[in-house]
Structures are given as structure tokens and as C-alpha cells.
Amino acid sequence: MLIAIDYDKTITADRLFWHEFLGMVRSRGHYAIVATGRKSTAPIDDGTKRLVMSVVYCGDRMKSWAVEQAGYNVDIWIDDEPGHIEPQRKLSW
Ligand SMILES: [Mg+2]
């Protein structure tokens, strides 16, 4: 399975926790990428890149679109702001 994880306020909320999580992802034969709202002009540089297949710098684009354009088909998203993944519809009743 491929997991896409956000960086700012997700991984940065507890780097040790998420780095251990990413190690477990790999040990179980799964894959992870970082899908960040950052632009490539502000790269991440705290060791996270060593633990994932790739970092997709989505910038202002919807993350689902940017990641697909980068060639990835994500199974699970982890993000503190899921509204950045794809357009959302609010349910009302
Ligand atoms: Mg975030």
C-alpha cells in the first residue's frame, strides 16, 4: 500500500513518532511519500526524505492532483488539513 503523509503540522508535530512510523511502513513492505503544500523552493531537510520514496511539493495545487501528476496512486492519506487533498463537499442534513 502507498501512504501519502503531509509534512508541516503532521510530521513536524512529532518527528520522532512519524519517523518511527515511516520505518514501520517500510518494514511491513509498504511505501510512503510526503505530499506537502510547500513549494520546491522550501524543501524539507530534517531527515524525513531518507524514509520515503519521494517528496511531492504540491504548492497551491490540490494534493490528490499533484501526486497523481507525479505518478503516484495513493491508498491512504495522513494530513492535518484534509481539505487540501481534494475538493470537499460538505454534507448537510
Ligand atoms: Mg499540514
Side-chain angles (χ1 to χ4, degrees):
M1 109 183 113
L2 177 62
I3 298 168
I5 184 167
D6 174 49
Y7 184 70
D8 290 297
K9 297 185 179 175
T10 299
I11 289 176
T12 62
D14 187 338
R15 285 182 175 86
L16 180 58
F17 172 80
W18 289 111
H19 285 187
E20 288 185 10
F21 172 82
L22 291 169
M24 192 167 56
V25 167
R26 289 168 55 161
S27 73
R28 292 289 302 158
H30 303 298
Y31 300 95
I33 62 172
V34 168
T36 177
R38 290 187 180 203
K39 298 179 178 169
S40 59
T41 52
I44 65 173
D45 61 356
D46 66 349
T48 299
K49 286 191 284 190
R50 292 182 289 108
L51 302 171
V52 296
M53 290 174 60
S54 180
V55 176
V56 178
Y57 292 95
C58 304
D60 297 330
R61 301 173 293 171
M62 282 286 161
K63 289 183 176 180
S64 60
W65 186 85
V67 164
E68 184 180 324
Q69 291 296 305
Y72 297 104
N73 185 14
V74 172
D75 297 300
I76 296 174
W77 294 86
I78 301 172
D79 200 305
D80 70 306
E81 294 184 283
H84 291 279
I85 298 169
E86 58 187 14
Q88 301 292 306
R89 289 179 292 162
K90 284 190 175 182
L91 299 176
S92 60
W93 60 88

